[in-house]
Amino acid sequence: MGKKHKNLIEQIASKDNILLAAKKARKGNPSSVGGMIFMDYLEPNIEYLSRAIADGSYTPGKPKNFVIYEPKKRQITALPFRDRVVQHAINNVIEPIFERTFYTQSYGCRTGRGTHKGAIACQAMMRRLEKDGEVWVLKTDFAGYFYNINRAVLHKRIRAKVSCKKTLGLIEKYVESEGIGIPIGNLTSQLFANIYGTIIDEWLLHEAKNKHFFRYMDDIVILGKSQKEMRALQVEMQRFCIDEMGMWFSKWFVCAASKGVNFLGYRIWTTHKLMRKQSVTAAKRKIKRYTKQDKKEELRRFLASWLGHAKWADSRNLIKSLEKVKCEAM
């Protein structure tokens, strides 16, 4: 995998890097009480973290675990603010290293990519392939992706690029090098999940010889010329994922692209995109709950975010009705 990076701990522990990490952590959760306290004592906190990271004495605090139910049931791990700062400090240094190893087909949690660009790229590819005939789609989704990541395999890939022992030791304080699963909710987990997902990207490109695919974490869409081709690919892909990644599909299907492709919250055709029915139903349910509980600020924030997502689809009437609800909530 090319060059290995040494002496990264000095960059991670630098006071400038920790200051930047604190600002990022604060921006991500401005209402955090822990964040307010940390920023009130910013200079001594930076001094402490810089020293503790550099000499290896830093130890993460006890996380809080809670369950969310939308879009599906998941256990979330929430770290104390100080530890979120440290994770930002780690990512500031190692994420650019791994970003260079990611493929153009990967859109999840990457700067300048994301759901909207992924949906646009998928639609554009569908249009190009349709010029040569009917397009077929293989859609897959891993079962419990974060929970089933093989940590030994993950660390092997991390060590292929990072040789700094202190940095590897710091990473192991969040994700041990043995066992199964990484915590949902940790900032570093997003990066590690992308690193792990590169395994299937490489297989699709170099073994299956298919570059017409798009991946958002564990959500994968593959385009091909026939139903037979896509079904055969599914069998081989499932076998590889079980043997090499310890992963299996919770669901998969093969269909003609003319029926629309469910991807990134949209149903995509070559001519237009619509919001997925499931996404609309979940949004209406949340709006109803916030309205009933008179949570106007939560409703306003949710609508602002969801409307931004909906505006990338051809959903004029839906957007108009939700903007009306937003105005009423102001």
Side-chain angles (χ1 to χ4, degrees), residues 149-156 175-182:
I149 285 175
N150 185 314
R151 296 200 290 266
V153 174
L154 170 64
H155 274 271
K156 183 178 179 180
V175 177
E176 295 178 356
S177 58
E178 298 294 333
I180 302 296
I182 61 175

Side-chain angles (χ1 to χ4, degrees), residues 125-126 129-130 133-137 223-226 255-258:
M125 181 64 72
M126 290 165 63
L129 295 180
E130 191 181 55
E134 189 175 26
V135 179
W136 284 80
V137 179
L223 305 176
K225 296 179 180 179
S226 71
C255 72
S258 58

Side-chain angles (χ1 to χ4, degrees), residues 146-177:
F146 283 76
Y147 302 127
N148 288 301
I149 285 175
N150 185 314
R151 296 200 290 266
V153 174
L154 170 64
H155 274 271
K156 183 178 179 180
R157 296 187 75 84
I158 292 172
R159 282 169 167 75
K161 296 300 294 180
V162 175
S163 60
C164 175
K165 290 184 177 179
K166 285 190 174 182
T167 298
L168 293 171
L170 180 61
I171 289 171
E172 285 200 48
K173 292 184 178 182
Y174 291 108
V175 177
E176 295 178 356
S177 58

Side-chain angles (χ1 to χ4, degrees), residues 66-76 143-147 184 278 285:
F66 58 94
V67 176
I68 64 172
Y69 295 91
E70 291 183 8
K72 57 186 176 181
K73 184 179 179 181
R74 293 180 295 172
Q75 179 171 298
I76 304 297
Y145 183 59
F146 283 76
Y147 302 127
I184 297 177
Q278 182 181 354
R285 189 162 53 238

